[in-house]
Amino acid sequence: TDAVGNVEASYDDDSFTYDTSEPNTVLNALNEFYGMIDWDSSDPIQGTASDSTSGITEVSVLVQRNSDGFYYDPEGWNGAETWQTAEGTDTWSFALSSDALEDSVVYTISVRARDGAGNMGTTFSTDSFTYDGVPPVSSVQIDQEFYSNLSWTAASSISGTAADAVSGLSSLVVAINNSGDGSWWSGTQWTGEETWLNPVGLSTWSYSFNSVNLTDGVTYTVLSRGTDNAGNVQLEYGSDTFTYDVTSPNAGQVQDGL
């Protein structure tokens, strides 16, 4: 209204919504163990966030190293609780290189969000995982250098062990190579393609192989390869060799003296 009594006919207005509710965050379930390849290829720190009133403006991630209680910061791990900004809001992710992780260490991930009204979540979504950066080991144990059809035992002559100290073994496979012609045992016949076979057992294993499939005078190499529960695959295979020999020795001649 002005000094002479004129009253404004069109009004100016605005509105606001009062929002005191905390936003919600969800951290997608992490695997119990990760190796370098699975970690870097799957971008595992990710999830969703929601706020039904004012929406999500920011998602933050806290990574704690349980071995010493330190927190991740791009400048280095330190004792100060340091929240990192994730990429995205309603659907978010956080990239953490495996270079920042240490073998055999447990890490705890916490996530919180801020909504459009400035409310910060105080109930975090959390999960943890163990980083396993070392592949498993396995060995082939062939007891003898030479075998005949009499000394060869089909069920146990090819055997070995395998182990993984952090995440444990997931699988173990073997391959048998014929050095005579370079062929590989497929499980039923010799072929030109490298073939990995499943033995019986895991930490202690054996592969049943009938001596009728062996050739006299040929040396065979048996390889073993383990995979652990973090997805690490053994790079330096277990290996041992044997030679199959079914040829009888030549009998010598003795001459009477004159």
Side-chain angles (χ1 to χ4, degrees):
T1 303
D2 62 18
V4 296
N6 297 309
V7 179
E8 183 179 9
S10 63
Y11 309 134
D12 190 15
D13 60 13
D14 201 352
S15 63
F16 69 92
T17 300
Y18 187 58
D19 178 8
T20 60
S21 299
E22 293 184 2
N24 298 313
T25 57
V26 174
L27 171 62
N28 293 349
L30 298 170
N31 295 339
E32 184 178 2
F33 299 100
Y34 284 96
M36 181 185 68
I37 295 176
D38 283 357
W39 180 264
D40 288 337
S41 64
S42 62
D43 197 16
I45 304 178
Q46 56 182 289
T48 59
S50 62
D51 185 273
S52 59
T53 304
S54 57
I56 300 296
T57 58
E58 181 184 59
V59 175
S60 303
V61 175
L62 183 70
V63 183
Q64 185 176 32
R65 187 170 61 192
N66 292 14
S67 59
D68 56 12
F70 279 20
Y71 298 92
Y72 172 74
D73 185 280
E75 301 301 319
W77 294 86
N78 61 73
E81 187 175 294
T82 309
W83 290 84
Q84 308 295 323
T85 302
E87 181 178 345
T89 51
D90 294 350
T91 300
W92 59 268
S93 63
F94 180 72
L96 177 65
S97 172
S98 63
D99 292 339
L101 305 176
E102 297 178 4
D103 181 53
S104 305
V105 173
V106 178
Y107 296 86
T108 298
I109 310 298
S110 301
V111 183
R112 70 182 184 186
R114 186 190 303 274
D115 65 20
N119 298 306
M120 179 70 77
T122 58
T123 302
F124 310 143
S125 180
T126 65
D127 203 350
S128 62
F129 69 93
T130 300
Y131 185 70
D132 180 359
V134 178
V137 295
S138 69
S139 64
V140 180
Q141 298 170 349
I142 305 294
D143 291 337
Q144 299 176 200
E145 184 178 357
F146 297 94
Y147 281 95
S148 69
N149 58 322
L150 298 178
S151 60
W152 182 263
T153 302
S156 61
S157 288
I158 298 177
S159 62
T161 60
D164 185 88
V166 179
S167 60
L169 291 167
S170 171
S171 64
L172 188 284
V173 290
V174 299
I176 305 172
N177 178 250
N178 180 328
S179 65
D181 57 11
S183 61
W184 298 84
W185 180 246
S186 70
T188 57
Q189 61 184 349
W190 295 100
T191 69
E193 183 178 355
E194 180 178 302
T195 305
W196 291 90
L197 310 161
N198 295 313
V200 175
L202 197 56
S203 58
T204 301
W205 58 266
S206 62
Y207 183 77
S208 182
F209 190 71
N210 199 305
S211 62
V212 298
N213 300 301
L214 300 174
T215 300
D216 180 41
V218 173
T219 297
Y220 297 87
T221 299
V222 181
L223 305 175
S224 64
R225 182 185 69 193
T227 302
D228 65 21
N229 287 305
N232 298 306
V233 179
Q234 182 178 1
L235 300 178
E236 296 182 4
Y237 304 150
S239 178
D240 205 350
T241 62
F242 67 92
T243 300
Y244 191 59
D245 179 8
V246 293
T247 300
S248 300
N250 294 323
Q253 294 181 346
V254 178
Q255 295 181 346
D256 291 336
L258 297 176

